């Protein structure tokens, strides 16, 4: 192989020809790029030297060289993240790195930054969580998908990836069984009954200036409390009063009379006195008129308490109105209207068919996440009518049969995105607004679009109202699903409650029950919620994503605060807590969730912790370990009292291991002050723990706090790129590729401008070409 300095004239000519075709602003290979490669790369990767089994001059022609996409991907990745050249070698300037990246993107990747390739997404089946949520939002049924369906495969760290969400005949059978089970709960015949309306006791209030309410009515303070209620169907009603007595735990002779009045007329009296039941009821009847009615209760003392008795009081809990009692107006149970939105079926056969069509259109529109076509609707109506004609069948059972078909349909199970030329990889089109609504809702809610999203898509107005919808959706309680599903997989908080950790050996407590009191289910749950709550707070308050590392506050309950050694936190609910300066906590590096899921069952694992940070926070994953690498336990046998740092130094003495461990170990060892269950410690085996280290990129630190600062300063852009890439992967359902660089870089630039606000990532992804557009299947190359 000839040396790089004597590249053939043919190769150089071809290179110059290619470069001259570019715009005048594009870097020139001979003038701008080759000197950079020669100065910083070729000493280790050319002229017969191929460190890391990587050579840059093993090509006959430049065309062949440019066609080696994996090679240039490695150059591009390592240069952008400053992993190469090694930190102990002379470094190129920022301008030189920019020129190299720009040349690779234009000449090798052939990227168009103004019109980036949106890529393609394999048609996606709903994962278990999405299926469960969609069924809940569509039919109001709480279905346990985790129990009924097998676990989903994952790709790129997430269970939203289209390529792995396939379907087998066995899984299809399970979906059919699930559909039958769901429909049996959601669609069933029910009887219409006389309706009951309720008024909370606290809604009854005295006339001003009195501030008495139905919640507290002393026997010895005569009072009247009133509430208004509008009636649409006048007639005789049953008035049921639920109340309780308070004031004394012991029996008392104190009594009072409670008078019920309807529109100023007495409807009945009730003698009330000491009673220790949690609630007591009595009923009377009264006529209610069309429109507004006044309901009131008047209390008057009947017998005063004896000298040693405590005075009593009563509290109105609830007042129920049932009527009209003649039955001329009846209603179905509330869940019946979720499907049968107009109530029971009409008697006329033609009207029943029309009603069935309305019901099935309403269900299928929402289930298919776009308006159902008429031929499909015709088939569904025919299914319902045929099923309703079976012996002992009902109108409802016919609808149930058709609804089962909807839930078993590929249009429901898969998130199809209609496009004009699905097999043309060169055809890029914007998603139609129904597909955009689905992408948006499954991204932020892990479920189907709601009525507002669907209506905006139907009118073609979703894109013009996108920012308002993003804010609305993030404010909705359903956005908690995004927190749990994205953070749960990105930061592995899903694993903390189930991962195998032996608290007896980690904590040195022989008794299992005592060990579980220190670190058990309550602490694990609180650790998960701590990390999720921090992310949720930063997102909802639109704060900087860098606070994930620098926050001087966290979220904890009494159990977690006690475990962390922080005083003054009471109760089981998670609450925002300002951290004392000596707490050794602050940022996700000190969160129990991260520390536990990156440990082994009986000890910490600097390798796992380092790999986690490289892969999930810096986006620079280390290569897999070579085969037959000796375990750390083998080193421990020969050095019984060695610290973790000492064992790691012994472990990486082999040259084959040294290069990768140089990337992982410093990060993992920076977290060694926290044991395998996340508890702080200053010593190990009687020796002070040394957390100092140097990143592969050259930054030095002495503690986890300094490592956190590095993440927000010199390695800030790496973190931004990683965060955007992870969230984009989750949202799109595919891994990010080199052609996503313009999108990721644009969002990172926006983060740099606005101080890293987390909502900028969400907005940037939703507005991006990969989220808003798609191209046909097939390869462009």
């Amino acid at each position: 192989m000839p040396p790089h300095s004597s590249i053939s004239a043919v190769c150089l000519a071809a290179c110059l020809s290619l470069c001259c075709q570019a715009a005048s602003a594009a870097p020139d290979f001979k003038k701008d790029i080759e000197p950079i490669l020669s100065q910083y790369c070729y000493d280790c990767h050319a002229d017969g030297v191929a460190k890391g089994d990587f050579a840059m001059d093993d090509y006959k022609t430049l065309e062949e060289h440019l066609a080696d996409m994996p090679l240039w991907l490695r150059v591009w990745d390592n240069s952008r993240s400053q992993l190469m050249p090694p930190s102990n070698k002379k470094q190129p300037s920022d301008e030189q790195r920019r020129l190299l990246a720009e040349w690779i993107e234009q000449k090798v990747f052939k990227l168009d930054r103004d019109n980036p390739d949106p890529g393609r997404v394999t048609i996606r089946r709903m994962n278990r969580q999405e299926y469960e949520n969609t069924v809940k939002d569509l039919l109001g049924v709480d279905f346990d998908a985790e129990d009924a369906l097998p676990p989903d495969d994952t790709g790129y760290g997430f269970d939203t990836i289209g390529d792995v969400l396939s379907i087998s005949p066995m899984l299809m059978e399970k979906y059919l069984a699930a559909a039958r089970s769901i429909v049996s709960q959601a669609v069933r015949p029910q009887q219409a009954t006389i309706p009951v309306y309720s008024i909370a006791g606290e809604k009854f209030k005295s006339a001003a200036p009195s501030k008495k309410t139905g919640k507290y009515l002393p026997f010895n303070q005569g009072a009247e409390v009133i509430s208004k209620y509008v009636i649409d169907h006048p007639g005789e009603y049953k008035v049921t009063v639920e109340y309780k007595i308070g004031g004394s735990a012991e029996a008392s002779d104190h009594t009072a009379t409670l008078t019920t009045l309807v529109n100023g007329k007495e409807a009945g009296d009730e003698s009330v006195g000491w009673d220790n039941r949690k609630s007591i009821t009595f009923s009377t009847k009264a006529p209610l008129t069309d429109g507004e009615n006044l309901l009131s209760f008047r209390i008057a003392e009947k017998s005063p308490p004896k000298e040693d008795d405590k005075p009593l009081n009563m509290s109105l809990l609830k007042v129920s109105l049932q009527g009209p009692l003649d039955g001329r107006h009846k209603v179905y149970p509330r869940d019946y209207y979720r499907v049968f939105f107009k109530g029971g079926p009409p008697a006329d056969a033609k009207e029943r068919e029309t009603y069935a069509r309305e019901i099935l259109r309403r269900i299928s529109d929402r289930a298919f996440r776009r308006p159902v076509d008429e031929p499909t609707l015709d088939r569904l109506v025919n299914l319902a009518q045929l099923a309703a004609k079976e012996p002992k069948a009902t109108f409802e059972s016919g609808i149930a049969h058709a609804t089962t078909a909807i839930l078993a349909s590929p249009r429901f199970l898969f998130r199809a995105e209609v496009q004009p030329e699905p097999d043309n990889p060169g055809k890029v089109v914007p998603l139609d607004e129904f597909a955009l609504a689905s992408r948006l809702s499954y991204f932020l809610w892990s479920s189907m679009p709601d009525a507002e999203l669907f209506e905006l898509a139907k009118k073609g107005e979703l894109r013009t109202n996108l920012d308002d919808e993003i804010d609305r959706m993030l404010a909705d309680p359903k956005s908690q699903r995004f927190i749990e599903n994205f953070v749960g997989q990105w930061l592995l908080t899903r694993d903390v409650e189930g991962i195998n950790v032996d608290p007896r050996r980690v904590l040195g407590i022989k008794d299992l029950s005592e060990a579980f009191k220190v670190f058990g289910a309550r602490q694990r749950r609180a650790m998960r919620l701590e990390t999720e709550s921090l992310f949720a707070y930063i997102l909802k308050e639109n704060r900087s994503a860098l606070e994930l590392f620098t926050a001087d506050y966290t979220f904890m309950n009494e159990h977690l605060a006690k475990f962390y050694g922080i005083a003054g936190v009471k109760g089981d609910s998670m609450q925002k807590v300002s951290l004392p300066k000596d707490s050794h906590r602050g940022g996700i590096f000190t969160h129990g969730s991260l520390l536990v899921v990156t440990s082994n069952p009986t000890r910490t694992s600097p390798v796992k912790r380092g790999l986690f940070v490289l892969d999930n926070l810096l986006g620079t994953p280390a290569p897999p370990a070579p085969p037959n690498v000796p375990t750390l336990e083998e080193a421990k046998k020969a050095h019984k009292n060695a610290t973790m740092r000492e064992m790691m130094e012994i472990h990486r003495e082999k040259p084959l291991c040294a290069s990768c461990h140089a990337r992982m170990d410093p990060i993992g060892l920076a977290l060694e002050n926290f044991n395998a269950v996340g508890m702080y410690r200053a010593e190990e085996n009687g020796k002070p723990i040394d957390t100092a280290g140097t990143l592969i990129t050259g930054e030095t630190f002495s503690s986890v706090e300094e490592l956190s600062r590095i993440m927000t300063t010199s390695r800030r852009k790496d973190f931004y790129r990683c965060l955007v890439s992870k969230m984009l992967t989750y949202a799109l359902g595919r891994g990010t590729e080199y052609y996503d660089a313009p999108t990721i870089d644009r969002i990172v630039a926006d983060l740099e401008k606005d101080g890293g606000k987390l909502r900028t990532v969400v907005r940037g992804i939703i507005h991006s070409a990969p989220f808003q557009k798609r191209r046909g299947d097939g390869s462009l190359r």
Side-chain angles (χ1 to χ4, degrees), residues 42 155 267 415 547 576 580 689 748 780:
Y42 286 165
R415 291 167 50 192
E547 286 189 30
K576 185 169 179 275
I689 293 174
V748 169
L780 286 170

Side-chain angles (χ1 to χ4, degrees), residues 335-589:
D335 61 349
Y336 185 85
Y337 289 96
R338 185 179 286 272
V339 173
F340 303 96
F341 61 99
K342 290 184 177 179
D348 180 76
K350 189 65 178 175
E351 291 179 1
R352 288 164 77 91
E353 180 183 344
T354 300
Y355 188 28
R357 178 173 290 273
E358 290 177 322
I359 291 170
L360 293 172
R361 183 189 298 279
R362 195 163 172 263
I363 295 173
S364 55
D365 277 357
R366 297 171 66 221
F368 298 161
R369 300 169 284 273
R370 63 177 58 246
V372 63
D373 58 281
E374 291 303 318
T376 300
L377 184 59
D378 290 340
R379 290 193 291 272
L380 290 170
V381 173
N382 289 336
L383 271 177
Q385 289 182 310
L386 287 171
K389 291 177 182 177
E390 293 292 318
K392 297 183 180 179
T394 63
F395 177 80
E396 288 87 353
S397 60
I399 296 296
H401 190 67
T403 303
T404 302
I406 291 172
L407 295 191
S409 166
R411 297 192 202 183
F412 174 69
L413 297 174
F414 288 87
R415 291 167 50 192
E417 294 174 345
V418 179
Q419 61 190 102
E421 297 181 41
D423 298 321
N424 180 1
K427 182 72 172 180
V428 174
V429 294
L431 295 174
D432 70 33
E433 295 224 336
F434 293 108
L436 180 60
S438 284
R439 282 201 180 186
L440 191 57
S441 64
Y442 281 97
F443 175 30
L444 298 182
W445 286 347
S446 297
S447 185
M448 56 182 271
D450 66 355
E452 184 167 332
L453 281 172
F454 194 86
E455 282 304 309
L456 284 171
K458 201 170 183 179
K459 295 175 184 176
E461 297 175 357
L462 179 55
R463 276 187 171 86
T464 56
N465 291 277
L466 205 48
D467 285 335
D468 289 341
E469 285 304 291
I470 293 169
D471 289 340
R472 179 181 73 87
M473 294 176 74
L474 289 177
D476 192 286
K478 287 189 287 189
S479 66
Q480 182 62 27
R481 299 168 180 172
F482 166 65
I483 305 297
E484 293 173 1
N485 295 328
F486 173 65
V487 177
Q489 295 177 86
W490 172 44
L491 299 180
L492 305 186
T493 56
R494 273 188 182 181
D495 301 341
V496 68
E497 292 184 78
I499 197 168
N500 179 25
V501 178
D502 186 348
R504 290 177 300 179
R505 294 183 64 180
V506 175
L507 299 172
I509 300 174
K510 292 184 179 180
D511 185 88
L512 182 61
S513 62
E514 289 300 315
F516 279 153
K517 286 180 183 177
V518 178
F519 180 76
R522 291 185 299 187
Q523 288 78 15
R524 288 173 181 253
R525 175 179 175 274
M527 286 176 175
R528 173 179 65 81
L529 292 176
E530 176 188 21
T531 306
E532 291 174 0
S533 299
L534 176 62
F535 184 93
Y537 175 77
I538 293 171
L539 178 63
K540 298 294 176 66
E541 298 296 322
N542 200 19
R543 300 173 74 90
S544 172
L546 300 179
E547 286 189 30
L548 288 170
F549 302 103
T550 63
D552 59 358
Y553 61 90
T554 192
F555 292 81
M556 59 179 71
N557 59 13
E558 186 172 351
H559 305 299
L560 187 59
K562 183 178 179 182
F563 182 81
Y564 284 172
I566 295 173
V569 180
K570 301 295 181 183
D572 190 50
S573 62
M574 302 300 290
Q575 50 206 275
K576 185 169 179 275
V577 177
S578 295
L579 292 167
K581 290 185 178 180
D582 61 350
S583 68
H584 307 293
R585 303 286 169 176
I588 57 174
F589 282 155

Side-chain angles (χ1 to χ4, degrees), residues 183-216:
V183 170
S184 70
Q185 299 175 64
V187 187
R188 60 183 189 273
Q190 298 192 58
Q191 295 297 317
T193 59
I194 297 172
V196 178
Y197 311 99
S198 296
I199 311 170
E202 61 190 24
K203 297 291 185 182
F204 288 84
K205 299 178 180 180
S206 292
S210 173
K211 294 184 179 180
K212 279 191 171 62
T213 71
K215 289 184 68 175
Y216 182 73

